[in-house]
Amino acid sequence: MAIPGFSRALIIALVAAPLAAPLTPPLELSAQASLPSVPPPGAASSSRSIKLDVVVNAKSGDPVTNLGRQDFTILVNKSPRPITSFRVLTPHEEPVKVIIFIDAVNTPYELVAAVRNATEKFLKSNGGALPHPTSIAVLTESGVQLQNDFSTDGMAISDDLEHRQIGLHLISKASQYSDSDRLKICLSALHQLAVFASSLPGRKIIVWISPGFPLVSGPAYGSLTPKAEEEIFGDVTYFSLALRQNNITLYDVNPIGTSESMFNANYYQTFVKGVAHPDDSQLADLSIQVLSAQTGGLNLESNNDIPSQIAKCLLDADSWYEITFDPPSADKPGEYHHIEVKLAQPGLVARTRTGYYSNPFAIEPAH
């Protein structure tokens, strides 16, 4: 069975559809007016610097924050690029906003209450003093409930979350379309978050508590039509640009924990390598697991301690390296460029965005 592609126009239409009644004034849903700025078609990609937020860890997992410019080499398509600026940042120099996102669409219903309780436990830890301004979002099959206000008062946020209504699953698990239905809801929510984040200053951390999006890929789902592949590729390039230009890092915390099978937990890794051509596109390339890895975030599996997993994600925002470089010229719009960060000191691991697309909105739309 061929699975239809989810074109950018479809995602925007989904976002514009009625959402669950928000607890605060509604978000601006005019996606066209809120899309991130991009170079005009035909503009030389070398005229726009690429900025990376780089986190470095020792093998123990402890953050390493005392490196200098000389310790880093940026490779684009395996060729070194000159570093044009280098800074060591903390939230004092660059504001950080955190959105904890409870995914009640993909999380089994019997676990949703446990996820809510675990999130409240994190919010109340340390006397309710949160390290960064934080907001809570909840995704149900009716849409996104997103609190516009950010606060470091974990007690107040926990009290708000306690009164949220998280309903029963409406999509039948027996339906052959349930996976694609859930994927459309998730992509709509991710688009809405990208639009919302575009209005916020500084760095944005989104901790998505979920077993992950349905990957809807592989032999069981059949082959895609060329048009569907082109539409998926357009969405891949859109999200790559939107997340990068809006300074969003995604993290996925799997609440199933140790009960999750290794196959289900790790299958997304098949798709983490960037998609270079439309005919290589799969719907799994749009999953939260894949996008988290590609933004330099984490996919945390096989651990039932959700509060500690959330805290582990937020360690990345204590201090990081901001590195910019001028990209090489591209031969065509939508050309994929792979990014690697090499470190002079052995035994250290760097995480950042794994690639970018040159001028993706100059790509001709699929017909």
Side-chain angles (χ1 to χ4, degrees):
M1 178 183 67
I3 303 298
F6 300 102
S7 67
R8 191 180 315 152
L10 176 55
I11 292 177
I12 293 173
L14 285 166
V15 174
L19 300 179
L23 300 181
T24 53
L27 299 178
E28 172 58 57
L29 297 182
S30 177
Q32 187 171 0
S34 304
L35 288 175
S37 61
V38 295
S45 62
S46 59
S47 65
R48 297 187 65 87
S49 293
I50 301 293
K51 180 175 74 69
L52 302 176
D53 293 325
V54 183
V55 174
V56 179
N57 296 105
K59 285 185 177 180
S60 63
D62 294 332
V64 178
T65 59
N66 60 349
L67 301 180
R69 183 176 186 150
Q70 71 282 357
D71 294 305
F72 292 84
T73 300
I74 304 297
L75 302 176
V76 177
N77 299 333
K78 299 185 178 180
S79 297
R81 300 298 302 175
I83 293 175
T84 55
S85 70
F86 177 90
R87 294 196 297 168
V88 182
L89 293 181
T90 70
H92 295 290
E93 292 85 24
E94 177 87 359
V96 174
K97 294 287 197 303
V98 174
I99 298 175
I100 299 176
F101 197 99
I102 298 176
D103 181 352
V105 169
N106 296 298
T107 301
Y109 179 72
E110 61 272 15
L111 287 181
V112 171
V115 169
R116 186 208 302 251
N117 292 338
T119 303
E120 291 180 4
K121 182 178 178 181
F122 166 79
L123 294 169
K124 293 176 180 178
S125 63
N126 196 32
L130 299 175
H132 311 288
T134 299
S135 183
I136 296 288
V138 176
L139 177 64
T140 70
E141 286 145 355
S142 299
V144 181
Q145 302 170 6
L146 178 60
Q147 185 181 37
N148 292 10
D149 294 334
F150 288 80
S151 174
T152 57
D153 184 349
M155 294 296 187
I157 300 174
S158 176
D159 182 67
D160 173 82
L161 179 59
E162 179 67 29
H163 293 88
R164 297 277 185 115
Q165 295 296 317
I166 305 179
L168 292 169
H169 286 299
L170 303 176
I171 297 175
S172 170
K173 299 304 179 186
S175 168
Q176 62 176 324
Y177 301 108
S178 63
D179 284 351
S180 57
D181 289 340
R182 287 188 288 133
L183 181 58
K184 283 188 283 188
I185 291 171
C186 294
L187 291 179
S188 173
L190 183 57
H191 177 83
Q192 183 175 350
L193 284 176
V195 172
F196 176 54
S198 69
S199 66
L200 303 175
R203 188 176 181 194
K204 277 76 70 173
I205 302 291
I206 298 177
V207 181
W208 200 295
I209 305 177
S210 170
F213 296 177
L215 298 183
V216 198
S217 299
Y221 290 94
S223 59
L224 294 165
T225 66
K227 181 179 179 181
E229 291 172 339
E230 289 181 11
E231 290 176 336
I232 294 168
F233 185 71
D235 294 338
V236 167
T237 59
Y238 164 73
F239 278 116
S240 174
L241 182 67
L243 295 171
R244 176 170 61 82
Q245 287 201 336
N246 289 326
N247 210 11
I248 298 170
T249 307
L250 297 173
Y251 297 78
D252 181 43
V253 174
N254 189 340
I256 296 179
T258 56
S259 298
E260 183 70 277
S261 73
M262 290 299 294
F263 177 81
N264 288 341
N266 297 324
Y267 182 53
Y268 76 90
Q269 295 176 5
T270 306
F271 305 94
V272 166
K273 182 180 179 181
V275 181
H277 305 286
D279 55 7
D280 294 328
S281 300
Q282 295 286 329
L283 284 167
D285 297 316
L286 296 168
S287 68
I288 190 68
Q289 306 96 302
V290 170
L291 295 176
S292 293
Q294 292 176 344
T295 62
L298 296 168
N299 287 289
L300 299 180
E301 312 277 354
S302 304
N303 190 317
N304 293 94
D305 188 351
I306 294 175
S308 71
Q309 298 293 76
I310 297 174
K312 183 176 181 178
C313 296
L314 300 190
L315 283 176
D316 284 0
D318 287 349
S319 180
W320 67 96
Y321 303 93
E322 181 190 89
I323 302 174
T324 62
F325 66 92
D326 287 336
S329 59
D331 294 331
K332 60 182 179 180
E335 186 176 85
Y336 179 71
H337 297 268
H338 178 63
I339 298 173
E340 294 178 83
V341 178
K342 298 293 187 181
L343 299 171
Q345 296 186 29
L348 303 181
V349 178
R351 277 187 288 109
T352 191
R353 300 185 188 277
T354 60
Y356 69 94
Y357 293 88
S358 60
N359 198 15
F361 285 173
I363 303 172
E364 290 295 323
H367 297 288

